[in-house]
């Protein structure tokens, strides 16, 4: 069936999906710009009015206060560079995704570079897409002049080296290094539409992370 022959409802649904994809793709870029320019009102407006903040607080006012405190120390300036973004839909008003971010932080007399990914949930409320949740998974954070070698790749000024969670959402990384070569089995069928991330996770739970304002 050609596009011209599609029923109106099906065509409208496809247009809605394209518009939703574009709106969701802009969320991480808007988040990075607001964060780096320290526009806390613009940043919290990317979350729904009832956003959860920790275990005991909710709302944009609480999120703005938390972010305002967090971004004052040890940070002086930041720059977040958004990379690849995979988005999948649960239904027309709910989606999830993974987006890469390479970040730089001015922290007094040290310059901390970081590689990470965000594992996001998105929700559409009153016709507008928001972040429902952001889970940051870090690979490394270190001063520009101190290469992050070994298992413990995370270090902020004045802290000890610690392990990140960059690879823990997807079992394939540990499985790859646990074997000596190709596993020898048949190549898996391509993942179903909107199931690429679920297929890669293979039921793995999200790791527990200590959230920083990145």
């Amino acid at each position: 069936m050609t596009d011209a022959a599609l029923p109106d409802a099906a065509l409208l649904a496809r247009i809605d999906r394209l518009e939703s994809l574009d709106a969701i793709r802009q969320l991480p870029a808007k988040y990075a710009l607001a964060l780096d320019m320290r526009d806390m009102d613009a940043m919290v407006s990317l979350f729904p009015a009832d956003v959860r903040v920790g275990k005991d607080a909710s709302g944009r006012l609480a999120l703005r206060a938390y972010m305002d405190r967090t971004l004052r120390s040890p940070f002086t300036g930041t720059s977040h560079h958004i990379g690849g973004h995979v988005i999948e839909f649960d239904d027309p008003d709910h989606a999830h995704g993974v987006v890469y971010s390479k970040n730089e932080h001015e922290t007094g007399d040290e310059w901390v570079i970081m590689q990470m990914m965000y594992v996001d949930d998105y929700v559409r409320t009153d016709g507008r897409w928001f972040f429902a949740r952001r889970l940051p998974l870090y690979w490394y954070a270190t001063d520009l002049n101190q290469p992050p070698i070994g298992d413990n790749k995370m270090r902020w000024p004045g802290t000890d080296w610690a392990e990140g969670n960059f690879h823990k959402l997807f079992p394939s990384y540990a499985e790859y290094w646990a074997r000596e070569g190709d596993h020898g089995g048949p190549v898996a069928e391509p993942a179903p539409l909107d199931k690429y991330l679920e297929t890669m996770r293979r039921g793995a739970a999200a790791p527990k992370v200590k959230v920083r304002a990145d």
Side-chain angles (χ1 to χ4, degrees):
M1 181 181 294
T2 65
D3 286 354
L6 284 172
D8 288 344
L11 182 57
L12 289 174
R14 292 178 66 176
I15 293 172
D16 178 67
R17 177 62 57 92
L18 291 173
E19 291 179 342
S20 293
L21 281 169
D22 184 64
I24 293 171
R25 285 195 180 107
Q26 290 196 48
L27 284 174
K30 291 176 177 178
Y31 179 93
L33 179 63
L35 201 65
D36 294 338
M37 297 302 111
R38 299 300 190 269
D39 190 329
M40 297 296 95
D41 286 330
M43 193 279 295
V44 301
S45 73
L46 302 174
F47 294 81
D50 60 351
V51 57
R52 289 292 305 273
V53 183
K55 295 181 179 179
D56 303 316
S58 64
R60 291 174 179 150
L61 282 175
L63 179 60
R64 188 181 67 187
Y66 168 78
M67 295 298 297
D68 191 278
R69 292 192 305 270
T70 303
L71 289 168
R72 293 183 182 278
S73 177
F75 308 105
T76 304
T78 56
S79 179
H80 290 69
H81 305 263
I82 304 303
H85 193 178
V86 179
I87 302 165
E88 297 178 347
F89 286 83
D90 305 308
D91 59 49
D93 295 317
H94 297 84
H96 57 274
V98 169
V99 57
Y100 274 43
S101 185
K102 183 68 174 288
N103 312 328
E104 300 198 17
H105 308 75
E106 184 181 12
T107 59
D109 60 355
E110 293 192 73
W111 195 276
V112 176
I113 57 174
M114 171 186 283
Q115 177 64 58
M116 63 176 295
M117 70 174 74
Y118 291 99
V119 181
D120 292 334
D121 292 323
Y122 313 105
V123 61
R124 180 162 57 178
T125 304
D126 296 328
R128 186 166 184 169
W129 282 97
F130 298 96
F131 291 114
R133 179 174 180 262
R134 303 211 84 187
L135 175 67
L137 300 182
Y138 307 110
W139 185 16
Y140 64 78
T142 182
D143 183 88
L144 185 63
N145 296 309
Q146 298 186 44
I149 304 301
D151 293 333
N152 296 329
K153 300 181 184 296
M154 293 288 301
R155 192 192 71 81
W156 290 95
T159 68
D160 294 329
W161 290 94
E163 184 181 12
N165 293 285
F166 189 76
H167 301 100
K168 292 185 178 179
L169 192 66
F170 303 102
S172 55
Y173 189 81
E175 292 169 357
Y176 177 88
W177 291 110
R179 64 177 186 261
E180 294 185 357
D182 182 78
H183 59 70
V187 175
E189 292 295 320
L193 183 66
D194 281 339
K195 297 290 185 180
Y196 187 80
L197 296 175
E198 179 181 315
T199 301
M200 286 191 63
R201 287 180 65 168
R202 302 203 293 279
K208 300 293 185 181
V209 300
K210 184 177 181 180
V211 177
R212 299 192 63 92
D214 291 296

